[in-house]
Amino acid sequence: MADDIKRRVALKVIGTTLGVGAFAKALAPIAQFTENTSVGEFLQKHYRELSSTELATVLARLEADTKKNYGREVTIQDIRPQAGVQFAYALNLSVCIGCRRCVEACHVENNHDRASHNSYIRVLEMEQGSMDMGRGRADYDHAVPEDGKFYMPVQCQQCENAPCTKVCPVEATWQEPDGIVVVDYNWCIGCRYCEAACPYHARRFNWKKPVIPADEINPNQSYLSNRIRPQGVVEKCTFCLHKTRQGQLPACLEACPTGARVFGNVLDPNSSIRWVLENKRVFVLKEELGTRPRFFYFFDK
Amino acid sequence: MTKGTTLTERDAESPEPATQHLLSYPRFLLTVAWRATEGTWVFYAWMTLLTAIALVGANAWAQQMASGMAVTALTDHVSWGLYIANFTFLVGLAAGGVMMVVPAYLYEDHDMHDVVIIGELLAVAALIMALAFVIVDLGRPDRFWHMMPFIGRFHWPVSMLSWDVLVLNGYLLLNLHVSGYLIYMRYLGRRPNPRWYVPFVFLSIVWAFSIHTVTAFLYSGLGGRPFWNSALLAPRFLASAFVTGPAFIVLVLQVIPKFSKFRVPEGAVQRLLSIMRVTVLINLFMLASELFTLFYGGGAHAASGIYLFFGLHGHAELVPWIWTAVTFNIFAAIVLLTPALYRSRAVLNTALVLTFIGVWIEKGMGLIVPGFIPSTLHEIVPYLPSTVEWKVCAGIWAAGLAVFTLALKFGLQAMTGELRAPGAPALDGDVAGAALTTTEETAQ
């Protein structure tokens, strides 16, 4: 009897060891992931809880990581919203020709993954006389503009009542005082609930680590906008806050050859955005959802 | 199976001091650990098979962690797929176990009372699987702690996902407590003190409804997804949960006598089948109501439904799935309502398996995926799961079945008296000759 028990104990110890070993072996690829994640990164607090010294450490670490992983010297700033500024965007659908230069400018400015040709803007080719997106298409591939069509670029609408920020279980995304909806890429857990909630297909997920050649990286970066995003987190259009909060215009507007895009501070009575909102018959997409976008569309004629 | 309070509080019915649990509870855990690896060759073969599949799943998930979720077939258009489909289904399976608890405790069905622990153990296993499916769907599981109340930044009460974290973990703890307490008391040879579990049982009944309601609200609260944005979603979820839960348990109740000395009362099976007769019809009725509303008016809101049932603009990836589900569910309804059919155990069991699969499709691939097709900009990007997703999915199901097998083994051995502390008295329900003094007790 005693021998039988010894044999059983021995068998169980061997079995358990083999089982644990097998699971360790099966999970081994995770080591590749963990060696790219430092302790500092793992324990990093939420952006809005960081003190200025903690934030400086984080920015320095991110710059060093970019140098190490992408071979490029970059500057990552933390640019805060300005008081008395409420951003809004308007787009003239009569003028847009669907050339997708805004899409390309966004791709370059925001350090998107090159292979997937990611961008925060999608341009719909719509049928004249219809606002039904179901009759439009985003994958058109021919000379533009085509007769009988109009073109409608769609990007983040920076909603006042944003469904995406509501659903986030960890407050990794929120609306800033100047109206821009941002993501803390170091706090997002990658559940993609925001991507499901957004009615405008504005959000993107980093399905893998972005790949960009060193010489193509835009070195002028900021924490909440165009710094190179980590694998497994959600990102979105930030109205190029690293430019616009410093008095410049968004990259998509600068690239537009037809002047279809109008951007600015609605609280400034002399701004062109203010003039458009006051003098054109503007509308927003999917108004019935109650999202209250700060991205407007209008027709000129 | 942990039960902290029993360690510190004096048991009303026992004269011994509570400190005795400091010795007997660890001994109970040791016995359970030993028993986890004791059994017939069928048991070993079954557990080895499940472990092997779980290993394949663990490896696939590790690869997904290392190279990113690009190894799945998910895209920015269809950003949730097989994982969230299974999650949704398993929350339903966990809630479905309550269809044993309600008759046993609210209607004092004695036959059901004898087997109610099986429903609680099923809830435990299903919730572990559901939570695992959430973890594998995260792009950054290393940041899981961000979701924990007080430590992270828990977006409660605004985010429905924060509610889901609370209700799912709460339901897991409730069922661990109730089943763990009952098993431990039977191990000690004592009658359980109702004070320590009955209030939790009643709480768990309400809670079961909450877990599936909150899970439905995750989807139905999204105005930008017309296919999900329906007030009928939560009731539908519950109805289908009360199909799959009883179906699975009836199958388990038939397997138990083959591997255990436990005697399953026939009344429990009949009661579960009569519950299913109602729920299977309610589920079909709600599906029909949903389809009527979608299709009669037509328009852009019907696009996902058209894609799902008939295909749209040349894309028909989900059409075979949904018609399989509908066929299976209608077949099960016919069998359950036709005495000539359900009297044959083979036909009945086929119907139970088919409706289980039918609801799995309807609630998973048939609900989550079409919510994304067409996308919010009305683009059609099809989705069918990748090999990695199938492997991870199989791995979690295997691990969950292993947990359920072990939990069931301990639960039933406690009921028959096979899992009993040395020298503890016999109890009602013990099976004659079952109270073996097994080798490990001798070893201690």
Side-chain angles (χ1 to χ4, degrees):
Chain A
M1 197 64 178
D3 281 349
D4 179 49
I5 288 163
K6 274 185 197 156
R7 190 178 60 86
R8 279 158 165 260
V9 170
L11 278 174
K12 285 179 189 217
V13 170
I14 293 168
T16 312
T17 314
L18 280 176
V20 171
F23 272 97
K25 180 81 183 149
L27 292 172
I30 292 181
Q32 197 187 321
F33 176 81
T34 46
E35 74 191 24
N36 291 329
T37 313
S38 65
V39 178
E41 187 185 336
F42 177 71
L43 292 176
Q44 186 183 319
K45 289 194 281 190
H46 190 280
Y47 167 80
R48 290 196 285 187
E49 288 171 13
L50 293 169
S51 70
S52 54
T53 44
E54 285 169 335
L55 185 65
T57 316
V58 166
L59 295 178
R61 191 192 75 227
L62 291 171
E63 287 173 353
D65 283 354
T66 313
K67 173 84 182 142
K68 192 178 116 210
N69 296 326
Y70 290 91
R72 182 75 189 262
E73 218 54 84
V74 301
T75 319
I76 303 178
Q77 290 177 275
D78 173 46
I79 306 158
R80 301 279 163 128
Q82 295 171 27
V85 175
Q86 286 289 323
F87 288 123
Y89 214 138
L91 205 149
N92 186 343
L93 293 172
S94 300
V95 178
C96 178
I97 53 168
C99 67
R100 293 195 183 114
R101 287 203 188 115
C102 52
V103 176
E104 179 62 24
C106 173
H107 178 71
V108 173
E109 177 67 32
N110 288 303
N111 290 311
H112 282 292
D113 176 53
R114 288 300 182 254
S116 57
H117 216 87
N118 197 15
S119 170
Y120 297 138
I121 307 173
R122 244 178 138 65
V123 184
L124 294 179
E125 184 181 70
M126 306 280 286
E127 265 178 51
Q128 277 307 353
S130 169
M131 284 304 288
D132 182 359
M133 290 180 185
R135 295 169 70 182
R137 56 187 307 168
D139 59 351
Y140 62 91
D141 185 20
H142 51 72
V144 288
E146 188 158 87
D147 280 349
K149 310 281 187 194
F150 73 96
Y151 296 87
M152 185 163 78
V154 182
Q155 62 205 75
C156 177
Q157 312 280 302
Q158 317 287 359
C159 307
E160 201 67 36
N161 180 24
C164 54
T165 60
K166 243 193 222 173
V167 299
C168 178
V170 295
E171 297 182 51
T173 181
W174 65 91
Q175 186 161 43
E176 294 264 285
D178 57 4
I180 299 175
V181 174
V182 292
V183 180
D184 182 350
Y185 311 125
N186 278 46
W187 191 260
C188 171
I189 59 171
C191 72
R192 307 186 299 289
Y193 195 7
C194 55
E195 220 175 2
C198 173
Y200 306 101
H201 188 66
R203 289 178 170 253
R204 305 285 183 274
F205 183 70
N206 286 277
W207 300 97
K208 59 185 180 60
K209 186 181 159 198
V211 178
I212 318 170
D215 58 335
E216 291 181 26
I217 290 174
N218 173 7
N220 171 27
Q221 304 180 1
S222 90
Y223 184 90
L224 290 175
S225 65
N226 66 337
R227 68 180 166 104
I228 302 174
R229 276 72 65 191
Q231 173 181 306
V233 304
V234 167
E235 58 178 69
K236 63 179 291 298
C237 162
T238 61
F239 277 175
C240 285
L241 65 81
H242 52 282
K243 288 163 68 79
T244 51
R245 280 181 181 173
Q246 294 182 315
Q248 293 173 280
L249 291 165
C252 47
L253 186 149
E254 286 176 335
C256 180
T258 65
R261 290 168 171 269
V262 184
F263 178 84
N265 175 14
V266 278
L267 299 183
D268 173 3
N270 301 317
S271 62
S272 43
I273 185 72
R274 182 75 170 258
W275 186 87
V276 168
L277 296 185
E278 281 172 0
N279 295 288
K280 297 288 176 183
R281 279 187 291 176
V282 297
F283 65 94
V284 295
L285 293 184
K286 305 193 184 187
E287 186 178 5
E288 70 279 11
L289 297 179
T291 50
R292 304 202 341 257
R294 43 178 78 221
F295 198 107
F296 300 86
Y297 294 88
F298 63 101
F299 288 96
D300 234 0
K301 45 188 186 227
Chain B
M1 267 152 276
T2 54
K3 178 58 201 89
T5 41
T6 54
L7 293 174
T8 49
E9 297 290 337
R10 182 182 288 263
D11 187 331
E13 287 186 15
S14 84
E16 304 96 337
T19 47
Q20 61 148 341
H21 293 295
L22 289 176
L23 285 177
S24 61
Y25 195 70
R27 196 178 294 148
F28 164 71
L29 291 180
L30 271 176
T31 310
V32 162
W34 178 274
R35 289 283 174 91
T37 49
E38 287 283 290
T40 62
W41 71 268
V42 180
F43 172 74
Y44 284 120
W46 171 242
M47 293 302 282
T48 307
L49 174 70
L50 293 180
T51 308
I53 298 171
L55 275 168
V56 172
N59 183 247
W61 178 63
Q63 283 172 12
Q64 177 189 300
M65 274 285 277
S67 34
M69 294 190 78
V71 296
T72 68
L74 296 167
T75 56
D76 286 321
H77 291 86
V78 184
S79 49
W80 283 340
L82 190 64
Y83 298 155
I84 295 301
N86 276 284
F87 158 76
T88 311
F89 175 79
L90 283 161
V91 173
L93 190 59
V98 82
M99 280 297 119
M100 300 185 86
V101 183
V102 169
Y105 286 92
L106 290 184
Y107 295 95
E108 296 182 0
D109 175 333
H110 295 290
D111 278 1
M112 193 64 91
H113 208 286
D114 290 346
V115 290
V116 67
I117 196 163
I118 296 166
E120 288 151 358
L121 296 173
L122 174 64
V124 169
L127 280 171
I128 290 172
M129 286 189 261
L131 293 170
F133 272 111
V134 175
I135 301 289
V136 297
D137 192 63
L138 292 182
R140 298 300 298 223
D142 55 315
R143 297 183 186 165
F144 184 73
W145 65 275
H146 295 183
M147 234 198 294
M148 300 213 272
F150 308 111
I151 309 171
R153 266 178 92 100
F154 197 52
H155 198 191
W156 186 85
V158 177
S159 170
M160 285 320 294
L161 202 47
S162 70
W163 280 91
D164 224 16
V165 169
L166 289 182
V167 293
L168 292 179
N169 286 297
Y171 196 58
L172 179 59
L173 291 177
L174 275 175
N175 281 286
L176 276 174
H177 164 66
V178 171
S179 56
Y181 175 72
L182 291 177
I183 292 172
Y184 178 54
M185 282 297 121
R186 285 201 72 93
Y187 166 78
L188 293 180
R190 284 223 226 131
R191 301 236 336 259
N193 182 347
R195 196 158 59 110
W196 285 120
Y197 76 102
V198 172
F200 296 100
V201 168
F202 281 97
L203 182 58
S204 82
I205 292 174
V206 184
W207 209 289
F209 286 85
S210 84
I211 61 168
H212 220 25
T213 304
V214 169
T215 305
F217 286 179
L218 284 182
Y219 313 110
S220 67
L222 304 182
R225 304 274 173 196
F227 190 67
W228 296 340
N229 193 210
S230 158
L232 198 54
L233 203 62
R236 252 183 93 193
F237 270 25
L238 286 167
S240 60
F242 299 152
V243 172
T244 49
F248 188 80
I249 292 163
V250 169
L251 290 168
V252 169
L253 289 179
Q254 293 177 67
V255 173
I256 284 171
K258 295 186 174 30
F259 299 102
S260 166
K261 296 187 176 76
F262 184 78
R263 280 190 297 258
V264 176
E266 183 57 23
V269 172
Q270 292 311 323
R271 177 58 61 101
L272 287 169
L273 290 176
S274 37
I275 290 171
M276 282 188 73
R277 276 183 199 111
V278 179
T279 55
V280 82
L281 288 182
I282 296 178
N283 188 39
L284 283 171
F285 170 70
M286 288 195 188
L287 177 69
S289 305
E290 196 82 272
L291 294 182
F292 172 80
T293 314
L294 269 179
F295 292 130
Y296 188 78
H301 281 198
S304 293
I306 294 170
Y307 169 73
L308 177 62
F309 281 89
F310 307 110
L312 188 61
H313 300 319
H315 287 283
E317 290 78 12
L318 293 178
V319 173
W321 290 72
I322 196 66
W323 286 107
T324 306
V326 171
T327 311
F328 283 6
N329 288 337
I330 291 177
F331 174 75
I334 293 171
V335 169
L336 282 166
L337 293 165
T338 315
L341 292 173
Y342 68 70
R343 283 205 193 103
S344 153
R345 272 292 147 107
V347 176
L348 176 70
N349 288 342
T350 309
L352 296 178
V353 171
L354 292 186
T355 195
F356 189 83
I357 298 170
V359 172
W360 181 81
I361 294 173
E362 185 190 297
K363 233 168 176 171
M365 295 296 285
L367 181 99
I368 304 306
V369 178
F372 293 100
I373 304 175
S375 76
T376 46
L377 298 185
H378 296 253
E379 292 178 72
I380 297 178
V381 178
Y383 161 84
L384 283 173
S386 73
T387 316
V388 168
E389 286 171 274
W390 282 117
K391 282 181 183 171
V392 171
C393 175
I396 293 176
W397 273 93
L401 282 176
V403 168
F404 184 61
T405 306
L406 290 178
L408 200 58
K409 184 182 167 78
F410 307 143
L412 295 177
Q413 288 193 355
M415 300 309 280
T416 57
E418 291 163 281
L419 184 70
R420 185 68 45 84
L427 288 172
D428 296 349
D430 281 2
V431 173
L436 318 161
T437 308
T438 47
T439 44
E440 78 276 17
E441 274 92 5
T442 325
Q444 290 159 6

